[in-house]
Amino acid sequence: MTDNCADATTKDARCLRRARQKSRDSAALCRVRHGRYDFDGSRLRVEFGRGKRDGGAPSRSGPGPTGNNRIYIEGLDNYTSWQDLKDFARRAGHPVFTDVFHDRGGKVGVVEYKNRDDVYEAVRSLDGAVLHDRRVRVVEDRGGRGGGGGGGGGG
């Protein structure tokens, strides 16, 4: 019998007890450590993460990328964040994933929408729109473009 709780053959009482104990230990640690650390004149908050994604990285903007219903937004300024991009993308529909990265000397955003109709609306209504005082270009992903590195995770 292995010690991996994710293995279907090991879901027994001992595995469940270990998982519950780890949860209690984590909660106790958060209570004990919260507000005890000083960083540059401010108290640090210690709390549980708000979600997991592949590799344990925190989830930033919903589910991870699927490669479906994707657009690229070119011409972003260097200060545009994935949060700014998601707010901008909401003008055309329901974005489920956003990220920004540097590609070919400029900053580019990637947005995945919930459905195909939102992609068409984004290309129609956001192409040429202004984001942070810059006119951006919206291009539908047709499967031929590779993404850049992650712009802060999730990509």
Side-chain angles (χ1 to χ4, degrees):
M1 188 144 122
T2 68
D3 196 33
N4 181 1
C5 292
D7 187 350
T9 62
T10 62
K11 289 186 178 177
D12 60 1
R14 289 183 310 159
C15 188
L16 293 174
R17 278 194 302 269
R18 277 195 308 270
R20 280 194 292 266
Q21 184 60 45
K22 285 181 183 179
S23 178
R24 283 191 299 269
D25 291 347
S26 297
L29 187 62
C30 285
R31 282 192 306 273
V32 169
R33 301 290 186 204
H34 179 70
R36 295 253 175 126
Y37 298 102
D38 188 38
F39 180 75
D40 197 27
S42 297
R43 293 280 182 198
L44 291 182
R45 174 181 289 186
V46 179
E47 59 186 27
F48 285 108
R50 289 197 168 78
K52 296 285 182 188
R53 290 194 10 158
D54 44 12
S59 176
R60 298 184 294 103
S61 62
T66 63
N68 299 322
N69 303 324
R70 177 180 289 185
I71 61 169
Y72 291 97
I73 301 180
E74 301 170 341
L76 301 176
D77 74 5
N78 285 329
Y79 300 103
T80 302
S81 68
W82 66 266
Q83 295 97 329
D84 298 329
L85 188 63
K86 190 167 189 179
D87 290 340
F88 179 73
R90 283 189 181 115
R91 296 181 191 174
H94 303 285
V96 294
F97 175 81
T98 59
D99 202 1
V100 293
F101 56 89
H102 289 276
D103 186 40
R104 300 181 194 144
K107 197 163 191 181
V108 177
V110 60
V111 177
E112 288 190 8
Y113 281 102
K114 189 173 185 175
N115 59 57
R116 202 86 192 130
D117 290 338
D118 290 348
V119 170
Y120 298 135
E121 179 61 21
V123 172
R124 187 190 70 71
S125 65
L126 300 179
D127 188 34
V130 175
L131 175 62
H132 292 168
D133 298 323
R134 295 191 65 175
R135 194 163 301 280
V136 297
R137 184 161 193 278
V138 178
V139 180
E140 181 181 353
D141 179 27
R142 301 204 182 262
R145 179 179 182 146

